[in-house]
Amino acid sequence: MLDLRRLRREEAAVRAALARRGDPSVDGLLDRVLRLDADRRAVIQHVEAWKAKRNEVSRRVADLKRAGAEAEPLIEEMREVSAHIEEYDDRLRTLEREIEDALLLLPNTPHPDVPAGGAEANRVVRTWGEPVEAASWRKPHWELGAELGILDLERGAKLSGSGFPLFRGLGARLQRALIAFMLDWHVREHAYEEVYPPFLVKQEMMRGTGHLPKFASDAYHVPSDDLWLVPTAEVPLTNLHAGEILPGETLPRRYVAYTPCFRREAGAAGRETRGLIRVHQFDKVELVRLERPEASDAALEELTRHAEAVCRALGLAYRVVLLAAGDLGFGNAKTYDLEVWAPGCERWLEVSSCSLYGDYQARRAHLRYRPAPGAKPEHLHTLNGSALALPRTVGALLECYQARDGSVEVPPPLQPYLQSERIRGV
RNA sequence: GGAGAGGUGGCCGAGUGGCCUAAGGCGGCAUCCUGCUAAGGUGCUGGGGGCCAAAAGCCCCUCGUGGGUUCGAAUCCCACCCUCUCCGCCA
């Protein structure tokens, strides 16, 4: 959520920053917010003047009653005062709700580092590893997985519809192995605290991270209890300290969690979504950091390196892409995508998205810290990144490590978890 | 799911319509006393918002949340949330 006060004082700068996203609806929303805010402040002046009067007269009534004196004329006067308060309070409530509603629909301002333009302006900032050469004998992971008997998309679809993959045998075990490996890695190598959060969360939490209200149709909702299935562990992790004021000396906070992720992906079915590339349910290990504002730029670089480290450990060639303003997610100030090369389907697959939110989520979720003992609380900065999302990682692993005989070699770090060095057909 | 008890400031805890502008205590900060320490004295104490360029200052809101009654609500009424105890159900 944008800072209303900053918007008021630096309107031109905010407008210019948001314009880089190329979303034409933004200016109208800004106009509306500013107009409502002016109204709101005028109404506050009125209602508070009346409330001050009510407080003062109430005190006099109390004094008179205590002294056993007649207070009826004052009480009569107060009826009118109360009527004014009620009227202005109603208007204030309405205005505040309208401002909040509009503010929640405004995206974050892009970081100055972010290139102008749309997806075509995304910039590859570095690469690692030699992409495995495509060859005619290499199969895409959906064929390979089916032949090895470890991926059964048909039966997944029978149970739940398309986009609900089902893994069997070593395929199932591979999910568990990757989750355990990644969690252990980040805890041991990068000092993140492991968290196992709830998988259903309140609407308020979805709003805090920016998934609601605008993207309600992307998420699964359980109406009987008004809970939402997490689309990413970012939601519970970022909201872990919602409403709290953290002592500055306890920052940064680094959290890592595995959760399944549930996404409706409405309207996404099609060519680009075969196999494990875009599914409704998948597993992911997610990193979340709460940082002091002055440390957050560096934290994004570090967080991205932490996600990259997993690709390296698994021996997957990847590239790091800095997203342009027009391709940025709604709440993101700056994002690096990690894409691994999949030689079977001959594509770069996005396995991680590492983002800096600045104070955008912190304002929505009321995440604050105290810079020094006794100092005023301030909003902190939030970051998150996948490290990694499993399905595309699995796709790339299968495609990269497949042999001509149709078996798949297991990368060394996963062997102890998988209790196997090779996956063979049955 | 049923019955009961409860939710007050950083913490404990008093408070059944107006001297609550929330007692008292603990903790914390400042300061004084003090050879040092301990003990003690005095003062201060959270969050949000408005006026203001800002500060100072003044004002408003905040006793689980949201409504309501009333001239006036921590206090009365309604709904909801959470915690605890017992019962039921259950992996």
Side-chain angles (χ1 to χ4, degrees), chain A residues 177-298:
Chain A
L178 280 164
I179 293 163
F181 162 67
M182 291 179 193
L183 285 172
D184 286 348
W185 183 275
H186 294 301
V187 169
R188 195 181 58 235
E189 304 290 324
H190 305 138
Y192 286 73
E193 180 186 341
E194 184 174 349
V195 176
Y196 188 96
F199 300 159
L200 277 79
V201 295
K202 297 175 183 176
Q203 174 179 301
E204 188 187 337
M205 305 308 150
M206 293 286 279
R207 203 185 309 121
T209 44
H211 293 88
L212 287 178
K214 196 169 180 184
F215 306 101
S217 63
D218 291 342
Y220 289 98
H221 179 231
V222 182
S224 57
D225 297 279
D226 196 18
L227 291 170
W228 297 75
L229 276 74
V230 297
T232 156
E234 169 197 348
V235 178
L237 287 183
T238 302
N239 282 289
L240 195 62
H241 297 289
E244 298 180 24
I245 300 168
L246 300 173
E249 60 271 22
T250 68
L251 296 180
R253 302 283 181 111
R254 301 177 239 250
Y255 296 113
V256 58
Y258 152 75
T259 67
C261 302
F262 302 94
R263 300 186 181 180
R264 293 190 60 232
E265 303 291 357
R271 271 198 315 274
E272 300 291 289
T273 66
R274 289 202 65 177
L276 295 173
I277 290 172
R278 189 179 296 276
V279 288
H280 294 306
Q281 179 187 321
F282 63 96
D283 293 307
K284 179 159 63 65
V285 169
E286 180 80 2
L287 306 175
V288 164
R289 298 173 64 128
L290 309 181
E291 295 278 347
R292 305 173 84 105
E294 64 272 19
S296 66
D297 282 356

Side-chain angles (χ1 to χ4, degrees), chain A residues 349-363:
Chain A
L349 299 179
E350 182 189 328
V351 291
S352 176
S353 195
C354 299
S355 300
L356 168 66
Y357 284 78
D359 64 7
Y360 186 85
Q361 291 180 320
R363 287 185 188 282

Side-chain angles (χ1 to χ4, degrees), chain A residues 32 36 40 90-104:
Chain A
R32 178 175 167 77
L36 289 169
R40 166 180 153 269
D90 283 345
R91 284 173 59 184
L92 186 58
R93 247 194 305 274
T94 304
L95 284 166
E96 286 180 338
R97 206 190 54 237
E98 288 172 345
I99 290 170
E100 170 96 355
D101 288 350
L103 230 34
L104 287 173

Side-chain angles (χ1 to χ4, degrees), chain A residues 11 27 55 70 141 150 164 181 194 198 202 216 221 226 239 248 255 261-262 268 291 305 330 334 342 368 414:
Chain A
E11 183 187 338
D27 268 311
N55 289 344
E70 180 55 56
H141 62 272
I150 60 174
F164 289 92
F181 162 67
E194 184 174 349
K202 297 175 183 176
H221 179 231
D226 196 18
N239 282 289
Y255 296 113
C261 302
F262 302 94
E291 295 278 347
R305 294 289 184 179
F330 184 69
K334 181 178 176 182
R368 289 174 299 167
L414 293 178

Side-chain angles (χ1 to χ4, degrees), chain A residues 121-195:
Chain A
N122 291 350
R123 211 152 64 202
V124 174
V125 293
R126 61 179 167 270
T127 60
W128 182 89
E130 255 333 291
V132 173
E133 268 181 52
S136 56
W137 59 271
R138 287 191 181 274
K139 297 166 184 164
H141 62 272
W142 52 90
E143 280 176 25
L144 189 56
E147 284 168 18
L148 288 169
I150 60 174
L151 176 62
D152 190 343
L153 292 174
E154 290 72 21
R155 290 201 174 83
K158 178 172 76 177
L159 293 172
S160 308
S162 78
F164 289 92
L166 183 147
F167 298 94
R168 341 177 33 156
L170 281 180
R173 185 159 190 153
L174 179 58
Q175 309 305 305
R176 187 154 56 88
L178 280 164
I179 293 163
F181 162 67
M182 291 179 193
L183 285 172
D184 286 348
W185 183 275
H186 294 301
V187 169
R188 195 181 58 235
E189 304 290 324
H190 305 138
Y192 286 73
E193 180 186 341
E194 184 174 349
V195 176

